[in-house]
Amino acid sequence: MSDARTGTADIGVVGLAVMGANIARNLARKGYKVAVYNRSYSRTEKLVDEHGDEGTFIPSEDIADFVASLSRPRVAMILVQAGAGTDAVIEQLAEYMEEGDIIVDCGNAYFKDTIRRERDIQARGLHFVGAGVSGGEEGALEGPSIMPGGTPESYKRLGPMLEEISAHVDGEPCCTYISNDGAGHFVKMVHNGIEYADMQLIAEAYDLLRRGLGDSPAQIADIFESWMDTELNSYLIEITAEVLRQVDAVTGKALVDIVVDAASQKGTGAWTVQTALELGVPVTGIGEATFARGLSSSPVQRGASGPLEGHEQPIKVVDREGFIEQVRQALYASKIVAYSQGFDLIQAGNDEYGWDIKKGDLAKIWRAGCIIRAVFLGDITEAYENNPDLPLLMADEKFASKINACVPAWREIVGLGVASGIPIPAFSSSLSYFDGVRADRLPAALIQGQRDFFGSHTYKRIDMEGTFHTEWSGDRSETRWS
Ligand code: 6PG
C-alpha cells in the first residue's frame, strides 16, 4: 500500500550507525534536506541532537512517515548491515514507495544479490541502485568515493547529490555512474579485493624490514613515512606509519606487538576471489592476501606446526639504505601486479554481465575518498586515458618501464624472504605471475599431455589446426578428433 503524502526532503537515509549518520550529515552540510530513519529511534534522536545545527534533518519514528517525508521521485539510501537486514529494509520501503521512486543500497552487498534485488524491485515499478561507497567513517562525512550502478535514469535524479557529497580531485567528483544493475557493487567488491592485496603487501614489507633490519616499529614507521615522498604515496602507507608509531597505553609497548596477529574479514575479499575463479581470471595478489588472513586466524593450523622445521638463513643486511630501497621496489612492483589483476577481473565481469564499465573513469574516482586512494591511481587513470582498451595494465608503457626497473630488487627480496623463512605469499606470487605472463612457453603443455593421458581430454598442436589425442594405452599413435 503506498502513501500518497508528499514531503519536502531531498533524500532520505535509513540506518544511522556511524556510516549512515555521517552520510546524512554530509548531505545536510551540502544544503540538502535529509529525512532520517533508524530502527531504534534513539539513534535518530542522537543524530539530530548532536548535529541538528549542521543542516536540515527530518526525523521519523516509523518507515511510513519516513517515506512520506520525501519529495518525489523519492530517494532513500540504505546503510544497514549487508544481507538479510538489507532485504528486510527494502521490503519495508517498497511497501510505501511509488512508481519511479529509488532505493539505494550503499552497503557492501554481493553483486549477485544486487542483480536479484534490482530485478525484483523493477518488477514493482521502483528503481534499485547498488552503490559502492568507500572511505570508511571519515570518508562518509568528508567525501567518499561512490560507485553507483542501477539504471541511468535513476542516476539523473541521484547522481548530482552523490557527486556533490563525494571527494573531489582537481574539481572532479570521485563518483560516476558505473553501469547497470550490480556493476557498482561489483567494482566495490574488486576495490576491496585490491585493498586486501595492498594491505597484505604492506604487511609483508613491514615483516621483511623488521626482521631484516631488527628495527623497532617506530623506526619502521619512519621508513613508511619516507615512502610518502615516492610513487607509493597512498592512504594505506600513511596509516601504516601511524599504526606502527602507536604506543600501547597499558604496557608502554608498540601497539602492533600487543594486537593479536589474526586478521579478520567480512567477506568482500573472499567474494572477489570466488568471482575471479568463476570467471577464470588470476587475481593471485588478492587470493594470497585473503588466504593469508585465513591462515593468520586459524588456531588449528598454526597450533599444529610444532614438528615443522624451517632451515632458515637469517637475512644479513650490510647496506641498510640499499635493502630498504629494494623492499620498496618489490612492494611497488607487486602492487602494480595486484592492481593490474584487479582491473583484469573488472574487464571480465564487464564482459560476462554485459556492463559498460569504463576502467579509466573508475581509476579516476578511486584517486581520492576511498581506502585505496593513492597517487598511483593518477598513473592508472592516465594509462586508460591513453588506451581505454589496454589489455594488461602492467604492460602499459609507463608501468612496464617502472616495473622492469624494479625486477632486480624484486627477485632479490623474494629470494631473501624465501631463504630466511619470512612468509611473503603476495610478494612471491606476484613475481611468479609476472614471470608467467612473460614466459614464451609455459609448462601447461605438459598438463595438457597429462589430461589427455588419463582422460582423453585432447590437446591442440602448435603446428596445425584441430584437436588431437594420443592412444596412450595403445600404440601411442596420434589421432585427430576434430
Ligand atoms: C571501504 C572499506 C570498507 C570496509 C572494508 C573492511 O572501502 O571503505 O573497504 O568497505 O571497511 O571492506 O573489510 P574487512 O572487514 O573484510 O577487512
Side-chain angles (χ1 to χ4, degrees):
M1 203 183 69
S2 67
D3 191 312
R5 286 175 290 165
T6 300
T8 55
D10 300 301
I11 189 164
V13 176
V14 180
L16 301 174
V18 188
M19 284 296 288
N22 283 358
I23 288 278
R25 289 173 60 197
N26 188 346
L27 284 159
R29 286 174 178 191
K30 294 283 178 324
Y32 294 108
K33 280 188 199 159
V34 189
V36 283
Y37 170 76
N38 192 74
R39 200 165 42 152
S40 69
Y41 190 57
S42 57
R43 230 180 208 158
T44 314
E45 286 180 312
K46 185 169 179 281
L47 170 67
V48 177
D49 285 352
E50 290 175 6
H51 304 288
D53 57 347
E54 292 178 8
T56 308
F57 295 102
I58 304 175
S60 290
E61 272 190 78
D62 69 56
I63 204 103
D65 284 345
F66 168 79
V67 173
S69 70
L70 295 165
S71 63
R72 294 180 205 204
R74 305 177 176 100
V75 181
M77 295 172 81
I78 308 177
L79 284 112
V80 299
Q81 204 148 29
T86 306
D87 281 312
V89 173
I90 291 170
E91 194 45 51
Q92 288 167 9
L93 285 169
E95 196 181 327
Y96 297 101
M97 284 185 143
E98 292 174 310
E99 194 158 339
D101 289 350
I102 305 166
I103 299 175
V104 190
D105 175 14
C106 298
N108 273 330
Y110 182 41
F111 74 97
K112 288 186 184 174
D113 287 339
T114 303
I115 292 174
R116 165 182 61 79
R117 286 174 181 142
E118 205 215 2
R119 205 180 33 233
D120 294 350
I121 288 293
Q122 253 187 346
R124 297 162 78 165
L126 305 174
H127 292 282
F128 184 76
V129 175
V133 178
S134 178
E137 295 167 6
E138 194 191 322
L141 184 62
E142 304 296 342
S145 173
I146 312 180
M147 299 146 247
T151 54
E153 197 186 333
S154 54
Y155 193 75
K156 280 197 198 119
R157 163 87 170 92
L158 184 65
M161 292 190 280
L162 296 187
E163 289 181 13
E164 202 174 339
I165 63 161
S166 73
H168 283 70
V169 178
D170 303 331
E172 289 185 287
C174 290
C175 170
T176 192
Y177 176 61
I178 303 295
S179 196
N180 52 302
D181 60 54
H185 277 147
F186 184 91
V187 299
K188 175 59 177 29
M189 174 190 78
V190 179
H191 164 284
N192 281 24
I194 293 173
E195 173 186 304
Y196 275 47
D198 215 339
M199 291 166 77
Q200 174 67 21
L201 290 168
I202 291 172
E204 290 178 19
Y206 154 73
D207 208 8
L208 283 158
L209 290 170
R210 183 141 190 210
R211 297 215 227 171
L213 299 170
D215 278 11
S216 68
Q219 286 171 302
I220 297 170
D222 290 341
I223 297 171
F224 279 104
E225 205 171 284
S226 73
W227 290 353
M228 287 296 283
D229 297 327
T230 72
E231 62 254 270
L232 282 176
N233 179 308
S234 62
Y235 172 72
L236 285 171
I237 292 283
E238 186 187 339
I239 65 162
T240 298
E242 297 220 20
V243 173
L244 290 174
R245 228 183 274 293
Q246 182 70 16
V247 174
D248 172 47
V250 180
T251 59
K253 292 182 180 167
L255 181 73
V256 75
D257 289 338
I258 299 298
V259 174
V260 173
D261 58 342
S264 311
Q265 47 189 315
K266 288 198 284 289
T268 45
W271 292 339
T272 312
V273 180
Q274 194 179 313
T275 306
L277 288 172
E278 280 169 20
L279 298 175
V281 181
V283 291
T284 56
I286 301 170
E288 291 298 351
T290 309
F291 293 135
R293 288 196 191 190
L295 176 61
S296 77
S297 47
S298 167
V300 176
Q301 286 155 5
R302 294 182 69 186
S305 67
L308 306 175
E309 293 170 5
H311 299 282
E312 301 99 336
Q313 295 152 26
I315 303 176
K316 288 190 198 75
V317 175
V318 280
D319 171 8
R320 181 183 165 87
E321 291 311 314
F323 176 72
I324 294 171
E325 177 56 16
Q326 282 180 321
V327 174
R328 191 192 71 79
Q329 289 189 17
L331 172 57
Y332 182 57
S334 305
K335 180 170 162 139
I336 294 174
V337 168
Y339 280 67
S340 188
Q341 293 178 334
F343 276 91
D344 284 347
L345 180 55
I346 287 166
Q347 183 63 52
N350 187 68
D351 298 345
E352 175 72 16
Y353 294 97
W355 293 322
D356 184 23
I357 301 172
K358 302 198 172 44
K359 289 178 287 189
D361 287 357
L362 201 54
K364 229 182 203 179
I365 65 164
W366 286 349
R367 287 178 302 169
C370 65
I371 303 295
I372 63 170
R373 62 185 179 261
V375 162
F376 179 74
L377 262 314
D379 296 335
I380 300 181
T381 306
E382 203 180 295
Y384 284 117
E385 260 164 15
N386 292 339
N387 178 8
D389 300 319
L390 189 64
L392 181 69
L393 179 62
M394 71 184 187
D396 158 73
E397 205 181 326
K398 192 166 167 189
F399 278 119
S401 79
K402 283 182 179 252
I403 205 168
N404 291 344
C406 294
V407 172
W410 200 8
R411 292 200 189 286
E412 178 81 18
I413 287 299
V414 168
L416 281 175
V418 169
S420 63
I422 299 174
I424 45 165
F427 268 40
S428 56
S429 74
S430 306
L431 181 54
S432 285
Y433 173 83
F434 174 80
D435 285 331
V437 167
R438 287 179 47 259
D440 286 335
R441 288 277 294 162
L442 288 167
L446 174 60
I447 292 168
Q448 286 297 80
Q450 292 164 333
R451 293 177 69 241
D452 191 55
F453 190 105
F454 62 66
S456 301
H457 294 297
T458 73
Y459 52 87
K460 291 187 189 304
R461 296 179 55 103
I462 58 169
D463 53 358
M464 45 180 126
E465 288 295 309
T467 50
F468 298 86
H469 168 64
T470 291
E471 300 297 338
W472 296 102
S473 50
D475 64 358
R476 308 239 158 155
S477 62
E478 183 181 72
T479 50
R480 187 183 187 129
W481 280 22
S482 68

